[in-house]
Amino acid sequence: MCCASSDDYLADPVEALPFEQVHSMVEAEFDVKEGFIDHNIPTFHVKYREDSKEAFLRLMESLESLRLIPVLRQTDETVVLRVLPKPPTKPNRNIINVALFFITLGTVFISGYFYSLNVLDALLFTGAIMAILGTHEMGHKLLADKHDVESTYPYFIPGIPYPYGIGTFGALIKQKAIPPNRDALFDIGFTGPITGFIIAAIVTIIGIQLSTLVPLDPEASLVPVPLLFQVIVMLFPPSGLGEMMQLHPVAFAGWIGMIVTMLNLVPSGMFDGGHVARSVLGSKAHKIISYLGIALLALLGWWPMAILALFFSAAKHPGPLDDVSKITNSRKVGAITLVAVFLLSVVPM
């Protein structure tokens, strides 16, 4: 999961900006119908063209030397471009990321040991969980870097060990800037879940091979499994005879990874699915689908996550800097792929 706030970008600057210089830079990329100062903010009514998405990115690059950023919005039939001061960002304190990483390693290992009562299996469980979470968050980080969106390295969150938890509450990166356009917003939201899902599937295949079938125990704790998990069991059946599968810790980690994927893909607020929905559907539709996602979580029995999603949906999603340009058709296909991934990963409580 990743997040960003729009508050700094929408605040009125204290000092007037160099209007004539900014006007010339905007005119070099856009057809300006009208230019004026609104509350010390250089504001322009521009004509949107087929190449305006690329023109906006060029304008962003040229304004960087002045520590300014453009914001493109459409009101009715008017396309409005505003130029704002770029807010300062605090330098990353990677020592915190490193410390949380090692603490989480410890809590996940303890959880794996209580689950398996075996040091080797606990190590395998720890490696599998951290691989799934780490790949997910680094997917966000790498695509943020690709689109020049400043962000932190993953923050791993230690949690309560088994049987009350799995030793971690997940991981996240903090996005320090707003993505330039809907393409970038989509890419950052898309890459984390899809890479984490792939690793979770691989981990599950390995874990199923390490699991065994045993006779049914009426007192055993049974867990619901997603469709993908069932398909993997059919394609790569475990060894042994019996009606019940004793999950190896690695298979348990794969099951957890699918749950993480499902929860992140709920199209609400600042969840990954929320970023994708915002980039594809726009602001108004995103608000509606956010509450539908919350209702879906509640229907599936994930009440704590439904409450968390409601909290994340309270604040308006900032959207990208260029909220006028549409995403590419290939990314629309990618959004459909994420719907399929969500369905394959659904686990009712």
Side-chain angles (χ1 to χ4, degrees):
M1 184 184 296
C2 55
C3 56
S5 171
S6 62
D7 294 343
D8 292 335
Y9 290 85
L10 302 181
D12 289 344
V14 177
E15 299 180 359
L17 299 177
F19 180 76
E20 294 301 328
Q21 185 177 2
V22 171
H23 189 283
S24 298
M25 295 172 119
V26 173
E27 273 195 325
E29 301 295 348
F30 287 89
D31 296 331
V32 178
K33 298 178 180 179
E34 184 181 6
F36 52 93
I37 300 288
D38 181 20
H39 293 88
N40 289 339
I41 299 175
T43 303
F44 307 89
H45 293 172
V46 300
K47 179 181 178 181
Y48 192 84
R49 307 186 306 251
E50 289 186 3
D51 66 337
S52 289
K53 184 190 291 187
E54 292 73 22
F56 185 87
L57 294 175
R58 292 193 298 268
L59 179 61
M60 277 190 65
E61 187 175 355
S62 61
L63 288 172
E64 176 65 29
S65 61
L66 300 178
R67 299 294 296 167
L68 302 174
I69 55 169
V71 178
L72 193 65
R73 295 290 185 269
Q74 183 165 354
T75 305
D76 297 325
E77 299 300 320
T78 304
V79 179
V80 181
L81 190 150
R82 294 182 176 89
V83 178
L84 305 175
K86 189 174 184 179
T89 57
K90 296 180 180 179
N92 295 336
R93 299 180 62 187
N94 292 332
I95 185 65
I96 297 176
N97 304 71
V98 173
L100 287 174
F101 173 78
F102 282 106
I103 293 172
T104 306
L105 276 179
T107 54
V108 173
F109 174 81
I110 292 171
S111 185
Y113 182 77
F114 283 147
Y115 176 77
S116 64
L117 300 178
N118 181 287
V119 172
L120 177 59
D121 287 346
L123 288 172
L124 292 173
F125 175 80
T126 302
I129 289 289
M130 298 301 280
I132 293 169
L133 296 180
T135 303
H136 180 120
E137 295 306 326
M138 285 306 297
H140 290 314
K141 172 62 176 173
L142 292 175
L143 265 295
D145 289 347
K146 178 183 177 181
H147 289 287
D148 295 323
V149 177
E150 187 177 358
S151 61
T152 66
Y153 283 102
Y155 289 95
F156 288 87
I157 307 172
I160 304 170
Y162 184 86
Y164 304 104
I166 60 169
T168 178
F169 291 115
L172 56 84
I173 68 168
K174 183 177 180 182
Q175 200 174 289
K176 296 187 175 185
I178 294 179
N181 52 38
R182 293 189 181 190
D183 287 348
L185 177 60
F186 177 91
D187 291 350
I188 295 170
F190 173 87
T191 311
I194 204 70
T195 53
F197 174 76
I198 292 170
I199 298 302
I202 295 172
V203 165
T204 302
I205 292 172
I206 297 171
I208 294 300
Q209 299 306 293
L210 297 173
S211 302
T212 55
L213 292 173
V214 296
L216 183 63
D217 182 356
E219 297 184 0
S221 298
L222 303 178
V223 295
V225 295
L227 179 59
L228 178 63
F229 200 99
Q230 298 176 42
V231 171
I232 291 175
V233 170
M234 287 191 302
L235 295 177
F236 306 95
S239 59
L241 297 174
E243 302 82 17
M244 184 178 70
M245 182 167 57
Q246 180 68 48
L247 287 181
H248 187 274
V250 174
F252 183 42
W255 179 79
I256 292 168
M258 293 179 191
I259 292 178
V260 170
T261 299
M262 176 197 72
L263 296 177
N264 273 281
L265 285 179
V266 172
S268 299
M270 301 296 288
F271 287 6
D272 296 336
H275 293 314
V276 172
R278 177 63 177 80
S279 65
V280 176
L281 302 175
S283 178
K284 293 181 180 179
H286 170 258
K287 187 173 183 180
I288 295 171
I289 201 171
S290 286
Y291 291 108
L292 292 177
I294 294 167
L296 177 61
L297 280 173
L299 288 172
L300 290 172
W302 293 92
W303 283 98
M305 288 303 298
I307 295 172
L308 183 62
L310 182 63
F311 173 78
F312 275 112
S313 299
K316 183 179 179 181
H317 194 294
L321 294 176
D322 171 9
D323 202 18
V324 180
S325 301
K326 307 301 181 184
I327 67 168
T328 61
N329 289 330
S330 62
R331 289 178 172 86
K332 294 177 182 178
V333 174
I336 296 173
T337 302
L338 285 188
V339 173
V341 168
F342 177 83
L343 294 175
L344 287 171
S345 305
V346 167
V347 181
M349 285 289 285

